[in-house]
Amino acid sequence: MHPLITPEALAEALSARPATVVLDVRWRLGGPPGRQDYEVSHVPGAVYVDLDTELSAPPGVGGRHPLPDPERLQEVLRAAGVREGGRVVAYDAGDGSVAARVWWLLRWAGFGEVAVLDGGFAAWEAAGLPVTAEVPAALTGDAAGDVVVRSGQMPVLDADEAAALAREGVLLDARAAARYRGETEPVDPKAGHIPGALNAPTTGHVGADGRWFRAEELAARFAGLGVSGGAAVGAYCGSGVTASSVVLALEVAGVTSAEKPAALYAGSWSNWCALDREVATGG
C-alpha cells in the first residue's frame, strides 16, 4: 500500500472495502483537544484516537511523546476495529505530520497496510465528500479488531545512536528553522539542535494546500540536503511525532524503502534535553 492516499481513493476504498479503518488524529501543540473538532465534523465512520493518551506513553525522561506500550497500543487499535489483513488510513488537520505518527506506529507494530490521507481533513472537505458528527459506537467482543502488535519492526534510535548518526550519516531535524537554530524554543527547556543534524522542516514536504509534493520533488529536496539513496539517515523533532513524516517523505521520495526505512529518534529533542546532552545553535 502506498503511504499516501487521496480523498477520492479513500472514499472509493470505504465503499469497496469495509475492512478499511479510518483514524482521526487531529491534534494541536498546546491544544485545544482535537476531539472537539472530531465531534463537530469528521469522515463518516472515522474513529478518534488521542495522540497524548493513546498513541504515546506518559511523558517523562523518555520525552514528551514516548512510544506507547505495545499492549496498550494493541488495545487502542482493536477498539478502533483494526483487523489483521485490513487497512488503516489516518488523517489530521494539517500537513499529515501527526497522521504520519499513526503510519509509523503501525509499521513499527508490524502492520503494513496503512496510509496517510493526503491533505488531511481539509482535502476531504475540499473534495466535497460527506462529513458527519455521528460518533461510531464503541466496538467490543467479536465486533472489535483482532490486530496483533508485533513491536520493533521500524528502526528506532536512542540519544547515543542519534548523536552517532549526526556525525557519521545524516540526521534530519524536522522542526521549524528558528527552533533548529536555537532562536526560540516554546516547549522544551533548551534551544538549539543535536550537533551535526541538518534542518528539514516538515512544512517542506507539502504545498500551500497541504497536499504532499510529488516523489521527484521530495527527492530533489532531500538531495539538496545531501541525502541520497544508500545513505544512513534518521530523523527527529520535538517529541518524535512530526519526525515520522520525514521518515514517510523519504520513503515517498524513493530515498528509502519499506524494506530499508529511515530511523526515528523516538525521544527526539525532549529526550535529548532531559538527558542534558550537548546543544548546537545557529545554521
Side-chain angles (χ1 to χ4, degrees):
M1 186 176 186
H2 192 276
L4 296 173
I5 187 170
T6 66
E8 294 78 10
L10 174 57
E12 182 178 352
L14 289 174
S15 62
R17 291 190 61 175
T20 299
V21 172
V22 181
L23 301 180
D24 184 316
V25 290
R26 282 178 280 182
W27 175 85
R28 301 179 187 87
L29 182 64
R35 183 178 289 277
Q36 295 179 4
D37 295 335
Y38 170 79
E39 291 174 348
V40 171
S41 181
H42 55 265
V43 173
V47 177
Y48 184 79
V49 182
D50 184 65
L51 170 66
D52 292 320
T53 62
E54 296 180 303
L55 300 178
S56 307
V61 70
R64 285 184 282 110
H65 290 107
L67 297 184
D69 174 79
E71 290 187 8
R72 170 61 175 155
L73 179 61
Q74 181 170 287
E75 290 175 0
V76 169
L77 296 177
R78 287 186 175 187
V82 180
R83 304 189 67 84
E84 293 287 311
R87 304 171 73 188
V88 173
V89 175
Y91 69 86
D92 56 31
D95 59 7
S97 59
V98 179
R101 166 76 167 214
V102 177
W103 172 84
W104 188 94
L105 273 178
L106 265 71
R107 291 272 298 273
W108 173 77
F111 188 90
E113 293 292 302
V114 57
V116 168
L117 178 61
D118 190 7
F121 187 64
W124 178 271
E125 288 188 301
L129 294 165
V131 297
T132 184
E134 182 178 352
V135 176
L139 299 178
T140 59
D142 292 341
D146 62 1
V147 65
V148 176
V149 168
R150 305 173 181 88
S151 60
Q153 305 305 307
M154 291 284 274
V156 178
L157 303 172
D158 61 20
D160 288 339
E161 291 165 334
L165 184 59
R167 293 191 305 267
E168 302 162 7
V170 180
L171 182 65
L172 299 175
D173 184 321
R175 298 172 302 159
R179 290 183 71 187
Y180 168 82
R181 292 192 297 263
E183 296 168 1
T184 182
E185 181 45 65
V187 185
D188 294 305
K190 291 185 177 183
H193 59 268
I194 295 173
L198 304 176
N199 194 208
T202 56
T203 51
H205 303 156
V206 298
D209 59 356
R211 301 293 287 264
W212 286 63
F213 290 129
R214 294 174 298 176
E216 56 269 28
E217 294 173 302
L218 290 172
R221 181 190 186 218
F222 288 121
L225 291 168
V227 186
S228 58
V233 59
Y236 77 98
C237 57
S239 65
V241 174
T242 59
S244 301
S245 72
V246 177
V247 178
L248 190 155
L250 286 162
E251 188 167 312
V252 172
V255 177
T256 61
S257 66
E259 295 72 30
K260 292 190 65 176
L264 177 71
Y265 177 18
S268 281
W269 189 245
S270 55
N271 170 245
W272 189 268
C273 291
L275 297 175
D276 198 25
R277 303 291 294 248
E278 180 186 357
V279 170
T281 56

